[in-house]
Amino acid sequence: MQFVLAAGGTGGHMIPAHALAAELKARGHGVLLITDARGAKIPGLFKDVPVHVLPAGRLSKTPWGLVKAARSVMAGRREAKALYAKHRPDAVVGFGGYPAFPALLAASAKGIPTVLHEQNAVLGRVNRLLAGRAAAIGTAYERVERLKPRDAAKVVLVGNPVRASIVRLGEMPFPAFDEVAPLKLLVTGGSQGATVLGEVVPDGLGALQEGLRHRLQVIQQCRPDDIERVRATYRALGIPAELSTYIEDMDSKLGECHLMIGRAGASTIAELTAAGRPAILVPLPIATDDHQTANAREMARAGGARMIPQPGFTPQTLARQIEALADDPEALSNAAARSLSVGRPHAARDLANLVERIGGGESVLPVGRVQATPPTATFAPAGAAA
């Protein structure tokens, strides 16, 4: 079979698309990626998959911005239709983000079935616009905000696909930790919002009890503009830290760490729960519909994460949370087990099964139950997408 995967240009959309592509290719299917210029440049993804870059507008509140976006979307739709005329796919799979919009519109116009995948606990804007046309919607959470009840019958709970190397971490023992072992921390900020972590985390680690502070080993992702300042702070505190602007070998870094501190993006949550790693999560407050807070709730309720809203994310609060986990070695291993308990490590397999069924003309056969909830004031639009 032949499949087109359409994904926006951020890691949150591209990583699950990459994991599905690997699963489909392993089954002998052909895969083509449609994305934007940003997505095509993300390192380490889709190295053996043909990539087609489409023009795609972004919705704007200004009249001129809307006109420009509409023109770009229609141009992308025409280009995608021409592509499908030459190489007709069995199905087109959309992972959200504005670059996926024209590819999915073109598929509907050509009578090609579409499958949407929603990584977040709140249905994204593009997926909301296209849900009525989709043959199936794969979700990562049992409860999905802004999913209309009329679309619930086409929903399948599959999880959020992660790389096989991440899944393997969940099959291995949690790294040994006791009263004298080093405490290995991984600090990531996703594609946005790493600055606040660079401002708070070093000072928070510096506020730890002396015995614990001297046992720290830190790996941290920083914005390019922040990295030298953060490095100087760690040097002054005497805390060994490995800093970089992008962590390409995330699987090995996640495998070594005892605790992750970072945002609550969909891919971050999926990787943490598949690998079984505890976390302190600071949801991005400007994320559309506050979806990062919604993402973090399941893991936090299970006891695999502690969630700190950004206004309360201070060095002192962070230090107390780390001490509460690290002072009792069993607390970390228990949190790791609770994180793993809400993971869905077979998401790539289950999503591939769904895509094959739809591509083969079959109906949706749910592998899980998803609760559809109407829009509420709690999840009103809150700003730019994460």
Side-chain angles (χ1 to χ4, degrees):
M1 302 175 76
Q2 301 295 322
F3 296 102
V4 168
L5 310 187
T10 65
H13 301 304
M14 296 288 288
I15 289 174
H18 172 80
L20 177 63
E23 177 70 19
L24 291 173
K25 286 178 66 65
R27 299 183 183 196
H29 302 309
V31 178
L32 170 74
L33 171 70
I34 289 179
T35 186
D36 62 359
R38 291 183 306 160
K41 294 178 182 177
I42 294 179
L45 302 181
F46 293 98
K47 291 180 179 179
D48 57 348
V49 172
V51 178
H52 193 90
V53 175
L54 280 187
R58 184 179 180 85
L59 296 182
S60 169
K61 294 181 180 180
T62 66
W64 176 237
L66 288 172
V67 171
K68 288 178 63 178
R71 287 177 176 174
S72 185
V73 168
M74 295 312 295
R77 179 177 177 271
R78 288 192 299 271
E79 194 170 325
K81 287 178 69 177
L83 181 66
Y84 300 157
K86 294 180 180 178
H87 307 284
R88 186 180 177 90
D90 293 283
V92 176
V93 188
F95 287 83
Y98 291 103
F101 194 33
L104 291 161
L105 287 176
S108 295
K110 300 282 287 183
I112 301 168
T114 61
V115 177
L116 304 181
H117 182 264
E118 179 54 59
Q119 302 89 48
N120 294 299
V122 182
L123 201 66
R125 290 177 178 174
V126 168
N127 283 348
R128 291 203 296 266
L129 289 170
L130 296 170
R133 304 182 183 206
I137 304 170
T139 65
Y141 293 90
E142 291 184 359
R143 182 183 178 90
V144 180
E145 297 286 343
R146 293 190 175 267
L147 173 68
K148 294 180 180 179
R150 72 184 186 195
D151 296 321
K154 62 179 73 173
V155 170
V156 180
L157 175 60
V158 295
N160 193 9
V162 299
R163 290 163 286 190
S165 56
I166 299 291
V167 173
R168 283 193 290 271
L169 296 177
E171 301 167 354
M172 301 168 63
F174 184 68
F177 181 73
D178 56 29
E179 294 85 353
V180 296
L183 175 62
K184 299 182 180 181
L185 303 179
L186 175 63
V187 186
T188 68
S191 58
Q192 295 188 42
T195 292
V196 70
L197 299 176
E199 293 171 347
V200 173
V201 173
D203 289 339
L205 300 185
L208 291 172
Q209 301 166 2
E210 184 177 1
L212 182 58
R213 188 173 70 248
H214 290 320
R215 294 161 53 198
L216 294 175
Q217 293 181 7
V218 181
I219 295 175
Q220 182 162 346
Q221 174 204 12
C222 301
R223 285 184 181 275
D225 293 344
D226 299 334
I227 192 166
E228 292 306 322
R229 173 182 56 79
V230 176
R231 181 174 285 117
T233 302
Y234 278 123
R235 187 181 300 117
L237 292 168
I239 297 174
E242 177 186 329
L243 308 182
S244 62
T245 58
Y246 183 81
I247 301 176
E248 187 166 345
D249 57 336
M250 180 59 74
D251 49 356
S252 64
K253 296 295 190 290
L254 191 60
E256 295 170 0
C257 85
H258 296 105
L259 179 67
M260 196 282 284
I261 304 169
R263 293 301 195 188
S267 289
T268 297
I269 299 291
E271 291 182 347
L272 286 168
T273 56
R277 292 297 182 271
I280 294 174
L281 301 173
V282 187
L284 180 68
I286 63 168
T288 305
D289 302 319
D290 197 23
H291 67 256
Q292 289 205 3
T293 297
N295 291 348
R297 283 180 184 145
E298 181 181 60
M299 189 177 175
R301 285 170 180 163
R306 300 187 177 211
M307 181 166 54
I308 306 176
Q310 185 162 312
F313 185 55
T314 65
Q316 293 72 29
T317 300
L318 176 63
R320 301 296 83 80
Q321 294 286 1
I322 293 174
E323 287 171 351
L325 287 166
D327 284 351
D328 178 5
E330 288 190 6
L332 269 179
S333 60
N334 287 339
R338 292 175 180 272
S339 172
L340 190 65
S341 73
V342 292
R344 296 181 176 89
H346 303 301
R349 179 200 67 190
D350 291 342
L351 181 57
N353 289 343
L354 174 63
V355 167
E356 285 180 333
R357 289 201 302 270
I358 298 303
E362 299 180 35
S363 60
V364 172
L365 298 173
V367 295
R369 184 166 58 89
V370 173
Q371 180 178 354
T373 58
T376 65
T378 304
F379 293 99

